[in-house]
Amino acid sequence: SRITIIGEGMPCYDPRQDSSVGGSGAHRADNQATWAYGTHARNPACQALPSMLGWRINGLLAVGKGIPARRFDMASFMTAANVCDEAQALKAGGTESRYRFDGIFSEADDLSTVLGAFSGAMDARFYDPQGRIAVKCIVNDLATPIASFGPTDVLDEVVWSPFGDLAESYNIVRGTYTDASTTSLYQAVDYPEQSVPNTDGIDRVLTLDFAGVQSATQAQRLAKRALMRAQLGGGTLSCEMQATAWRAEQFAPVALTFPNLGMASKPFRVAEIEARVDGT
């Protein structure tokens, strides 16, 4: 009563294979005839680009959104694609690429749904620095801040919340991934849950399902990252800073020294930026 068809999607653009944007090769974002299949076609950072650039038939947009290539920060997509390709050692032996995505979308799916699936499969965030679409794979780079700020950089309106919502202090992450084996035929199955002991006798469970992930170990890797992030406590600091703060874009790691709060080179990640007309 069921037929399963295993096939390839549309050819995929890889900015790392495009010499016109700093890569090396003949791929061109505005020429889909240069796009190709290959290992990059399973890389979620690469897959996200064609879904936004779009695919045309007889010059008319047939798939995707048709966003012009000039609207993308290609360097950020190349960096993210390299993170996705990093080899990860497996406990059972051998290696696998850090992040891969396999799935299918409908043209009825909202762009936020599509990008949400890609970002969930590679622990990434899509954003728009300087008016261009970019992507950032969240990696453990807090030890290498791109900028350090001190009390002279902070002007006003300092609000420090050292802890996040208690309900979001998850100690268990569980969910499903897609089992691509011939015995399962792409059914959603549970990956081994990731957990740490609770601190107050109450288990708090976060459910994360990865429909586009076909590796149990990749699903575990993503779940463990979410679990570790929840254990950090979710402290946030918001303040008005002078124009020197423009050195750090969104999601960048920074260090802050602020004696009034007892902070000495405390590591932060920039969550949001609001630029005002006076430069602050």
Side-chain angles (χ1 to χ4, degrees):
S1 61
R2 174 180 173 183
I3 297 174
T4 299
I5 299 174
I6 303 174
E8 295 176 321
M10 69 184 191
C12 186
Y13 168 70
D14 184 351
R16 297 171 301 175
Q17 300 183 51
D18 184 346
S19 59
S20 70
V21 295
S24 176
H27 280 220
R28 295 294 183 269
D30 57 359
N31 183 359
Q32 65 190 40
T34 64
W35 302 0
Y37 297 112
T39 56
H40 69 280
R42 297 186 61 216
N43 185 310
C46 294
Q47 291 170 323
L49 278 169
S51 68
M52 291 185 279
L53 290 166
W55 182 265
R56 289 171 170 76
I57 299 176
N58 295 328
L60 300 177
L61 185 66
V63 177
K65 300 303 176 183
I67 300 174
R70 66 178 182 276
R71 291 290 310 280
F72 295 92
D73 180 348
M74 292 301 184
S76 73
F77 281 87
M78 287 191 276
T79 299
N82 287 334
V83 171
C84 293
D85 278 345
E86 290 175 353
Q88 301 297 295
L90 301 177
K91 185 176 182 180
T95 63
E96 71 175 3
S97 297
R98 183 185 294 275
Y99 300 131
R100 287 290 179 258
F101 184 93
D102 300 277
I104 188 169
F105 297 107
S106 163
E107 278 300 283
D109 291 333
D110 187 79
L111 180 60
S112 61
T113 300
V114 176
L115 295 184
F118 286 136
S119 62
M122 58 177 171
D123 194 19
R125 310 290 184 270
F126 290 94
Y127 63 117
D128 59 345
Q130 302 176 353
R132 294 188 298 167
I133 301 171
V135 64
K136 168 74 173 180
C137 276
I138 305 301
V139 298
N140 187 9
D141 55 2
L142 292 177
T144 55
I146 68 166
S148 296
F149 300 111
T152 58
D153 297 296
V154 179
L155 299 178
D156 201 359
E157 301 179 15
V158 179
V159 179
W160 169 231
S161 301
F163 303 103
D165 189 343
L166 181 62
E168 296 180 356
S169 298
Y170 307 109
N171 68 299
I172 299 174
V173 180
R174 61 169 67 118
T176 62
Y177 76 105
T178 299
D179 185 351
S181 68
T182 54
T183 54
S184 181
L185 284 179
Y186 304 92
Q187 296 300 300
V189 299
D190 294 335
Y191 55 81
E193 72 174 30
Q194 305 298 296
S195 64
V196 295
N198 62 58
T199 57
D200 57 4
I202 301 175
D203 284 335
R204 297 177 176 85
V205 180
L206 172 63
T207 300
L208 288 179
D209 296 326
F210 303 109
V213 174
Q214 295 183 1
S215 162
T217 49
Q218 179 182 331
Q220 292 178 72
R221 192 177 303 124
L222 290 164
K224 185 175 182 180
R225 292 181 62 78
L227 178 63
M228 294 174 66
R229 191 171 292 131
Q231 296 303 303
L232 291 176
T236 58
L237 182 142
S238 61
C239 60
E240 180 184 279
M241 302 183 74
Q242 62 173 319
T244 53
W246 285 43
R247 288 181 290 163
E249 67 177 28
Q250 194 173 4
F251 305 123
V254 298
L256 175 65
T257 296
F258 196 65
N260 289 4
L261 292 174
M263 296 177 180
S265 296
K266 185 175 181 65
F268 284 93
R269 188 178 301 281
V270 180
E272 296 179 9
I273 300 174
E274 175 187 307
R276 298 175 180 170
V277 294
D278 61 357
T280 60

